[in-house]
Amino acid sequence: MELEVDIKGLALDPELRAVVERRVRGALARFGDRVHHADVFFMELGGRRSDADVRCRIVTDVRPIGRVVVQDTHDTAFQSIAGAAEKVTRVVARRLGRLRARKLATA
């Protein structure tokens, strides 16, 4: 799997990069060759409406379901990547399960 990390609005330190790579690879590893690519974007939020400061968005291409986009927002980049990684695992598994169920229903 190719992994690109695009940090927007945050300083990219080696510790954060290592955590991002470990979390995303771990979240998507169970799907094997179905995952072509994953992009990770961080955005620092500067509003007063919310206590959450950092949004993490993961965009991945999964065969045969296509593009999957999830995001999570928390106080820190470390918390937001953890939440987004958990979400991407759930979403990909759910969509692949639905696809499998449709194939079995039509067979």
Side-chain angles (χ1 to χ4, degrees), residues 20-78:
V20 168
E21 290 182 6
R22 188 178 70 243
R23 288 284 190 166
V24 174
R25 287 186 191 283
L28 298 173
R30 68 184 264 198
F31 306 111
D33 291 340
R34 291 182 173 167
V35 177
H36 297 199
H37 181 80
D39 288 319
V40 181
F41 301 91
F42 287 96
M43 182 180 292
E44 196 164 29
L45 305 175
R48 293 186 219 168
R49 295 182 184 174
S50 149
D51 290 336
D53 294 325
V54 180
R55 175 175 295 145
C56 175
R57 178 176 292 154
I58 299 174
V59 180
T60 186
D61 294 317
V62 181
R63 259 186 292 185
I65 58 176
R67 180 165 283 176
V68 174
V69 180
V70 299
Q71 65 183 22
D72 202 41
T73 306
H74 281 287
D75 293 335
T76 69
F78 294 99

